[in-house]
Amino acid sequence: MKLGVFGGTFDPPHLGHLILAAEAQNQLELERVLFVLTPAPPHKAGLAITSLEQRLALLQAALEEAPGFEISRVDIDRQPPHYAVDTVRLLRQAYPGAKLTYLMGGDSLMDLPLWRHPSEFVQACDTIGVMRRPGDRVSLLALEEQIPGLALKTQFIRVPLLEISSSEIRQRIREGKPVRYFLPPAVYRLILSERLYAT
């Protein structure tokens, strides 16, 4: 079984997330993509994040009509801190024999040397799918010098240029700007009904 691992805070999940996951699934021939909702990412310590319960409800709404995508509770059901190296190890135990592809953006790949135990993280993954955007300046050669073995495991995914981010959506809602077509309809309706991000 070939599984993609797509981690994030998903605050909120938007169409860009789904398009990126779909491109990864298609190009890397993944049977399923596991959306790993991170309750409190270490790199966002001190930042305001919507409650886990609300983000989980939004992600469930986003994936309700998305075959091949599912939510993993691997980080939800364990104590923090939530480091990717531990997440992959736990998924390895949960899906013995599966080929795990960790999905990330080009910016995350550039920051990988700053992650917790980056060499062990790379060893724990079968492959690393990097969703590269036009203009990314990713030097695998330089990264390979810091994390040996990374280049062999990295596969680049071609994705359309989408200038959509969760932070921009939150800002637009606070400013009363339209976001309807940035979001899956069920997510948009839930944000409206719960009055999320309005203040």
Side-chain angles (χ1 to χ4, degrees), residues 99-164:
K99 181 178 180 181
L100 298 181
T101 299
Y102 197 94
L103 305 175
M104 66 173 67
D107 53 344
S108 295
L109 182 66
M110 290 297 293
D111 292 339
L112 193 57
L114 303 176
W115 288 26
R116 184 176 178 85
H117 305 314
S119 294
E120 294 177 25
F121 166 75
V122 171
Q123 291 173 8
C125 299
D126 291 297
T127 55
I128 297 172
V130 179
M131 295 173 274
R132 195 169 192 173
R133 301 177 186 226
D136 277 354
R137 291 183 173 87
V138 176
S139 172
L140 264 183
L141 183 61
L143 289 169
E144 176 70 19
E145 292 178 358
Q146 299 179 72
I147 312 173
L150 174 62
L152 283 175
K153 291 197 173 183
T154 299
Q155 293 182 272
F156 287 107
I157 305 160
R158 298 178 308 280
V159 296
L161 181 60
L162 296 168
E163 296 295 335
I164 302 176

Coordinates of all heavy atoms in Angstrom, one line a residue, residues 99-164:
K99 N 4.2 1.7 2.1 CA 5.2 2.6 1.7 C 4.7 4.0 2.0 O 3.6 4.5 1.5 CB 5.4 2.5 0.2 CG 6.5 3.4 -0.3 CD 6.7 3.2 -1.8 CE 7.8 4.1 -2.4 NZ 8.1 4.0 -3.8
L100 N 5.4 4.8 2.9 CA 5.0 6.1 3.3 C 5.7 7.2 2.6 O 6.9 7.2 2.6 CB 5.2 6.2 4.8 CG 4.5 5.2 5.7 CD1 4.8 5.5 7.2 CD2 3.0 5.3 5.5
T101 N 4.9 8.1 2.0 CA 5.4 9.2 1.3 C 5.0 10.5 2.1 O 3.8 10.8 2.1 CB 4.9 9.3 -0.1 OG1 5.4 8.2 -0.8 CG2 5.5 10.6 -0.8
Y102 N 5.9 11.2 2.7 CA 5.6 12.4 3.4 C 5.5 13.6 2.4 O 6.5 13.8 1.6 CB 6.7 12.7 4.5 CG 6.2 13.7 5.5 CD1 5.7 13.2 6.7 CD2 6.4 15.0 5.3 CE1 5.3 14.1 7.7 CE2 5.9 15.9 6.3 CZ 5.4 15.5 7.5 OH 5.0 16.4 8.4
L103 N 4.4 14.3 2.4 CA 4.2 15.4 1.5 C 4.5 16.7 2.1 O 4.1 17.0 3.3 CB 2.8 15.4 1.0 CG 2.3 14.0 0.4 CD1 0.8 14.1 0.1 CD2 3.1 13.7 -0.8
M104 N 5.3 17.5 1.4 CA 5.6 18.9 1.9 C 5.8 19.8 0.8 O 6.0 19.4 -0.4 CB 6.9 18.8 2.8 CG 8.1 18.4 2.0 SD 9.6 18.6 3.1 CE 9.4 17.2 4.2
G105 N 5.8 21.1 1.1 CA 6.1 22.1 0.1 C 7.6 22.4 0.0 O 8.4 22.0 0.9
G106 N 8.0 23.1 -1.1 CA 9.4 23.4 -1.3 C 10.0 24.2 -0.1 O 11.1 24.0 0.2
D107 N 9.1 25.1 0.5 CA 9.6 25.9 1.6 C 10.0 25.0 2.8 O 11.0 25.2 3.5 CB 8.6 27.0 2.0 CG 7.2 26.4 2.3 OD1 7.0 25.2 1.9 OD2 6.4 27.1 2.8
S108 N 9.1 24.0 3.0 CA 9.4 23.0 4.1 C 10.7 22.2 3.9 O 11.5 21.9 4.8 CB 8.2 22.1 4.4 OG 7.1 22.8 4.8
L109 N 10.9 21.9 2.6 CA 12.1 21.1 2.3 C 13.3 22.0 2.6 O 14.3 21.5 3.1 CB 12.1 20.7 0.8 CG 13.3 19.9 0.3 CD1 13.3 18.5 1.0 CD2 13.3 19.7 -1.2
M110 N 13.3 23.2 2.2 CA 14.4 24.1 2.5 C 14.7 24.2 4.0 O 15.8 24.4 4.4 CB 14.2 25.5 1.9 CG 14.2 25.5 0.4 SD 15.8 25.1 -0.3 CE 16.8 26.5 0.3
D111 N 13.6 24.2 4.8 CA 13.8 24.3 6.3 C 14.1 23.0 6.9 O 14.3 22.9 8.2 CB 12.5 24.9 6.9 CG 12.3 26.3 6.5 OD1 13.2 27.0 6.1 OD2 11.1 26.8 6.6
L112 N 14.1 21.9 6.2 CA 14.2 20.5 6.8 C 15.4 20.4 7.7 O 15.3 19.7 8.7 CB 14.3 19.5 5.7 CG 14.1 18.0 6.1 CD1 12.8 17.8 6.9 CD2 14.1 17.1 4.9
P113 N 16.6 21.0 7.4 CA 17.7 20.9 8.4 C 17.4 21.4 9.8 O 18.1 21.1 10.7 CB 18.8 21.7 7.7 CG 18.5 21.6 6.2 CD 17.0 21.7 6.2
L114 N 16.4 22.3 9.9 CA 16.0 22.9 11.1 C 15.0 22.0 11.9 O 14.7 22.3 13.1 CB 15.4 24.3 11.0 CG 16.4 25.3 10.2 CD1 15.6 26.6 10.0 CD2 17.6 25.5 11.0
W115 N 14.4 21.0 11.2 CA 13.5 20.1 11.9 C 14.1 19.3 13.0 O 15.4 19.1 13.0 CB 12.8 19.2 10.9 CG 11.9 19.8 9.9 CD1 11.8 21.1 9.5 CD2 10.8 19.2 9.2 NE1 10.8 21.4 8.6 CE2 10.2 20.2 8.4 CE3 10.3 17.9 9.2 CZ2 9.1 19.9 7.6 CZ3 9.2 17.6 8.4 CH2 8.6 18.6 7.6
R116 N 13.3 18.7 13.8 CA 13.9 17.8 14.9 C 14.4 16.5 14.2 O 13.6 15.8 13.5 CB 12.8 17.5 15.9 CG 13.3 16.7 17.1 CD 12.2 16.5 18.1 NE 12.6 15.7 19.2 CZ 13.2 16.1 20.3 NH1 13.6 17.4 20.4 NH2 13.5 15.3 21.3
H117 N 15.6 16.2 14.5 CA 16.2 14.9 14.0 C 16.0 14.7 12.5 O 15.4 13.7 12.1 CB 15.8 13.7 14.7 CG 16.0 13.8 16.2 ND1 17.1 14.3 16.8 CD2 15.1 13.5 17.3 CE1 17.0 14.2 18.1 NE2 15.8 13.8 18.4
P118 N 16.4 15.6 11.6 CA 16.1 15.5 10.2 C 16.6 14.3 9.5 O 15.9 13.7 8.7 CB 16.7 16.8 9.6 CG 17.7 17.2 10.6 CD 17.2 16.8 11.9
S119 N 17.8 13.8 9.9 CA 18.3 12.6 9.3 C 17.4 11.4 9.6 O 17.1 10.5 8.8 CB 19.7 12.3 9.7 OG 20.6 13.4 9.2
E120 N 17.0 11.3 10.9 CA 16.1 10.2 11.3 C 14.8 10.3 10.6 O 14.2 9.3 10.3 CB 16.0 10.2 12.8 CG 17.3 9.9 13.5 CD 17.1 10.0 15.0 OE1 16.0 9.8 15.5 OE2 18.1 10.2 15.7
F121 N 14.3 11.5 10.4 CA 13.0 11.7 9.7 C 13.1 11.2 8.3 O 12.3 10.4 7.8 CB 12.6 13.2 9.7 CG 11.5 13.5 8.7 CD1 10.2 13.2 9.0 CD2 11.8 14.2 7.5 CE1 9.2 13.5 8.0 CE2 10.9 14.4 6.6 CZ 9.5 14.1 6.9
V122 N 14.2 11.5 7.6 CA 14.4 11.1 6.2 C 14.5 9.5 6.2 O 13.9 8.9 5.3 CB 15.6 11.7 5.6 CG1 16.0 11.1 4.2 CG2 15.4 13.2 5.4
Q123 N 15.2 9.0 7.1 CA 15.3 7.5 7.2 C 14.0 6.8 7.4 O 13.7 5.8 6.9 CB 16.3 7.1 8.3 CG 17.7 7.5 8.0 CD 18.6 7.2 9.2 OE1 18.2 6.6 10.1 NE2 19.9 7.7 9.1
A124 N 13.1 7.5 8.2 CA 11.8 6.9 8.5 C 10.8 6.9 7.3 O 9.9 6.1 7.3 CB 11.2 7.6 9.7
C125 N 11.0 7.8 6.4 CA 10.2 7.9 5.2 C 10.7 7.0 4.1 O 11.9 6.9 3.9 CB 10.1 9.4 4.7 SG 9.5 10.6 5.9
D126 N 9.7 6.5 3.3 CA 10.2 5.7 2.1 C 10.5 6.7 1.0 O 11.5 6.6 0.3 CB 9.0 4.8 1.7 CG 8.9 3.6 2.6 OD1 9.8 2.8 2.8 OD2 7.8 3.5 3.3
T127 N 9.6 7.7 0.9 CA 9.9 8.8 -0.1 C 9.4 10.1 0.5 O 8.6 10.1 1.4 CB 9.2 8.6 -1.5 OG1 7.8 8.4 -1.3 CG2 9.8 7.4 -2.2
I128 N 9.8 11.2 0.0 CA 9.4 12.5 0.4 C 8.9 13.2 -0.9 O 9.7 13.5 -1.8 CB 10.5 13.4 1.0 CG1 10.9 12.6 2.3 CG2 10.0 14.8 1.4 CD1 12.2 13.2 3.0
G129 N 7.6 13.5 -0.9 CA 7.0 14.2 -2.1 C 7.0 15.7 -1.9 O 6.4 16.2 -0.9
V130 N 7.7 16.4 -2.7 CA 7.8 17.8 -2.5 C 7.0 18.6 -3.6 O 7.2 18.4 -4.8 CB 9.3 18.3 -2.7 CG1 9.4 19.8 -2.5 CG2 10.1 17.6 -1.6
M131 N 6.0 19.3 -3.1 CA 5.1 20.0 -4.0 C 5.7 21.3 -4.4 O 5.6 22.3 -3.7 CB 3.7 20.2 -3.3 CG 3.0 18.9 -3.0 SD 1.5 18.9 -2.0 CE 2.2 18.9 -0.4
R132 N 6.4 21.3 -5.5 CA 7.2 22.4 -6.0 C 6.4 23.4 -6.8 O 5.6 22.9 -7.6 CB 8.4 21.8 -6.8 CG 9.5 22.8 -7.0 CD 10.7 22.2 -7.6 NE 11.9 23.0 -7.6 CZ 13.1 22.7 -7.9 NH1 13.3 21.4 -8.3 NH2 14.1 23.5 -7.8
R133 N 6.6 24.6 -6.5 CA 5.9 25.7 -7.2 C 6.8 26.4 -8.1 O 8.0 26.5 -7.8 CB 5.2 26.6 -6.2 CG 4.2 26.0 -5.3 CD 3.6 26.9 -4.3 NE 2.8 26.3 -3.4 CZ 1.6 26.7 -3.0 NH1 1.1 27.8 -3.5 NH2 0.9 26.0 -2.1
P134 N 6.3 27.0 -9.2 CA 7.2 27.8 -10.0 C 7.9 28.9 -9.2 O 7.4 29.6 -8.4 CB 6.3 28.5 -11.0 CG 5.1 27.6 -11.1 CD 5.0 27.0 -9.7
G135 N 9.2 29.0 -9.4 CA 10.0 30.0 -8.7 C 10.7 29.5 -7.5 O 11.5 30.2 -6.9
D136 N 10.4 28.3 -7.0 CA 11.0 27.7 -5.9 C 12.5 27.6 -6.2 O 12.9 27.1 -7.2 CB 10.5 26.3 -5.6 CG 9.2 26.3 -4.7 OD1 8.8 27.4 -4.3 OD2 8.6 25.3 -4.5
R137 N 13.3 27.9 -5.2 CA 14.8 27.8 -5.3 C 15.3 26.7 -4.4 O 15.8 27.0 -3.3 CB 15.5 29.1 -5.1 CG 15.2 30.2 -6.2 CD 16.0 31.5 -5.9 NE 15.8 32.4 -7.0 CZ 14.8 33.3 -7.1 NH1 13.9 33.3 -6.2 NH2 14.8 34.1 -8.1
V138 N 15.0 25.5 -4.7 CA 15.4 24.4 -3.9 C 16.7 23.8 -4.4 O 16.7 23.3 -5.6 CB 14.3 23.3 -3.9 CG1 14.7 22.1 -3.1 CG2 13.0 23.9 -3.3
S139 N 17.7 23.7 -3.6 CA 19.0 23.1 -4.0 C 19.1 21.8 -3.3 O 19.5 21.8 -2.1 CB 20.1 24.0 -3.7 OG 21.4 23.4 -3.9
L140 N 18.8 20.7 -4.0 CA 18.9 19.4 -3.3 C 20.4 19.1 -3.0 O 20.7 18.4 -2.1 CB 18.3 18.3 -4.3 CG 16.9 17.9 -4.0 CD1 16.5 16.8 -4.9 CD2 16.7 17.4 -2.5
L141 N 21.3 19.6 -3.9 CA 22.7 19.3 -3.7 C 23.2 19.9 -2.3 O 23.8 19.2 -1.5 CB 23.5 19.9 -4.8 CG 25.0 19.7 -4.8 CD1 25.3 18.2 -4.9 CD2 25.7 20.4 -5.9
A142 N 22.8 21.1 -2.0 CA 23.1 21.7 -0.8 C 22.5 21.0 0.4 O 23.1 20.8 1.5 CB 22.8 23.2 -0.7
L143 N 21.2 20.6 0.3 CA 20.5 19.9 1.3 C 21.1 18.5 1.6 O 21.2 18.1 2.7 CB 19.0 19.8 1.0 CG 18.2 21.1 1.1 CD1 16.9 21.0 0.5 CD2 18.2 21.6 2.6
E144 N 21.5 17.9 0.5 CA 22.1 16.5 0.6 C 23.4 16.6 1.4 O 23.7 15.6 2.2 CB 22.4 16.0 -0.8 CG 23.1 14.6 -0.8 CD 22.2 13.5 -0.4 OE1 21.0 13.6 -0.4 OE2 22.8 12.4 0.0
E145 N 24.1 17.6 1.4 CA 25.3 17.8 2.2 C 25.0 17.8 3.6 O 25.8 17.3 4.5 CB 26.1 19.0 1.8 CG 26.7 18.9 0.3 CD 27.4 20.2 0.0 OE1 27.5 21.2 0.8 OE2 28.0 20.3 -1.1
Q146 N 23.9 18.4 4.0 CA 23.5 18.5 5.4 C 22.7 17.2 5.9 O 22.8 16.8 7.0 CB 22.6 19.7 5.6 CG 23.3 21.0 5.3 CD 22.3 22.2 5.5 OE1 22.0 22.5 6.6 NE2 21.9 22.8 4.4
I147 N 22.0 16.6 4.9 CA 21.1 15.4 5.3 C 21.4 14.4 4.2 O 20.7 14.2 3.3 CB 19.6 15.8 5.4 CG1 19.4 17.0 6.2 CG2 18.8 14.6 5.9 CD1 17.9 17.5 6.1
P148 N 22.4 13.6 4.4 CA 22.8 12.5 3.4 C 21.6 11.6 3.2 O 21.0 11.1 4.2 CB 24.0 11.8 4.0 CG 24.6 12.8 4.9 CD 23.4 13.6 5.5
G149 N 21.3 11.2 2.0 CA 20.2 10.3 1.7 C 19.0 11.0 1.3 O 18.0 10.3 0.7
L150 N 18.9 12.3 1.5 CA 17.7 13.1 1.2 C 17.4 13.0 -0.3 O 16.2 12.8 -0.7 CB 17.8 14.5 1.7 CG 16.6 15.4 1.3 CD1 15.3 15.0 1.9 CD2 17.0 16.9 1.8
A151 N 18.4 13.3 -1.2 CA 18.1 13.4 -2.6 C 17.5 12.2 -3.2 O 16.6 12.3 -4.1 CB 19.5 13.8 -3.3
L152 N 18.0 11.0 -2.8 CA 17.5 9.8 -3.3 C 16.0 9.5 -3.0 O 15.3 8.9 -3.7 CB 18.3 8.6 -2.8 CG 19.7 8.3 -3.5 CD1 20.4 7.2 -2.8 CD2 19.5 8.1 -5.0
K153 N 15.6 10.1 -1.9 CA 14.2 9.9 -1.4 C 13.2 11.0 -1.9 O 12.0 10.9 -1.7 CB 14.1 9.8 0.1 CG 14.8 8.5 0.6 CD 14.4 8.2 2.0 CE 14.9 6.8 2.5 NZ 14.4 6.5 3.8
T154 N 13.7 12.0 -2.5 CA 12.9 13.2 -2.8 C 12.3 13.0 -4.2 O 13.0 12.7 -5.2 CB 13.7 14.5 -2.8 OG1 14.2 14.7 -1.4 CG2 12.8 15.7 -3.2
Q155 N 11.0 13.2 -4.3 CA 10.3 13.2 -5.6 C 9.5 14.5 -5.7 O 8.8 14.8 -4.8 CB 9.3 12.0 -5.8 CG 10.0 10.7 -5.8 CD 9.0 9.5 -6.0 OE1 8.5 9.0 -5.0 NE2 8.7 9.2 -7.2
F156 N 9.7 15.2 -6.8 CA 9.1 16.5 -7.0 C 7.7 16.3 -7.7 O 7.6 15.5 -8.5 CB 9.9 17.5 -7.8 CG 11.1 18.0 -7.0 CD1 12.4 17.6 -7.3 CD2 10.9 18.9 -6.0 CE1 13.5 18.1 -6.6 CE2 12.0 19.4 -5.3 CZ 13.3 19.0 -5.6
I157 N 6.7 17.1 -7.2 CA 5.4 17.0 -7.7 C 5.1 18.3 -8.4 O 5.3 19.4 -7.8 CB 4.4 16.8 -6.6 CG1 4.7 15.5 -5.8 CG2 2.9 16.6 -7.1 CD1 4.1 15.5 -4.4
R158 N 4.6 18.3 -9.6 CA 4.2 19.5 -10.3 C 2.8 19.9 -9.9 O 1.9 19.1 -9.9 CB 4.2 19.2 -11.8 CG 5.6 18.9 -12.4 CD 5.5 18.6 -13.9 NE 4.5 17.6 -14.2 CZ 4.6 16.3 -14.1 NH1 5.7 15.8 -13.7 NH2 3.6 15.5 -14.5
V159 N 2.7 21.1 -9.5 CA 1.4 21.6 -9.0 C 1.1 23.0 -9.6 O 2.0 23.7 -10.0 CB 1.3 21.8 -7.5 CG1 1.5 20.4 -6.8 CG2 2.4 22.7 -7.0
P160 N -0.2 23.3 -9.8 CA -0.5 24.6 -10.4 C -0.2 25.7 -9.4 O -0.2 25.5 -8.1 CB -2.0 24.6 -10.6 CG -2.5 23.4 -9.8 CD -1.4 22.5 -9.6
L161 N 0.1 26.9 -9.8 CA 0.4 28.0 -9.0 C -0.9 28.5 -8.3 O -1.7 29.1 -9.0 CB 1.1 29.1 -9.7 CG 1.5 30.4 -8.9 CD1 2.5 30.0 -7.8 CD2 2.1 31.4 -9.8
L162 N -1.0 28.3 -7.0 CA -2.2 28.7 -6.3 C -1.8 29.7 -5.2 O -1.2 29.2 -4.2 CB -2.9 27.5 -5.7 CG -3.5 26.5 -6.7 CD1 -3.9 25.2 -6.0 CD2 -4.7 27.1 -7.5
E163 N -2.3 30.9 -5.3 CA -2.0 31.9 -4.3 C -3.1 31.8 -3.2 O -3.8 32.8 -3.0 CB -1.8 33.2 -4.9 CG -0.6 33.4 -5.8 CD 0.7 33.2 -5.1 OE1 0.8 33.4 -3.9 OE2 1.7 32.8 -5.8
I164 N -3.2 30.7 -2.6 CA -4.3 30.5 -1.5 C -3.5 30.0 -0.3 O -2.8 29.1 -0.3 CB -5.4 29.5 -1.9 CG1 -6.1 30.0 -3.2 CG2 -6.4 29.4 -0.8 CD1 -7.1 28.9 -3.7

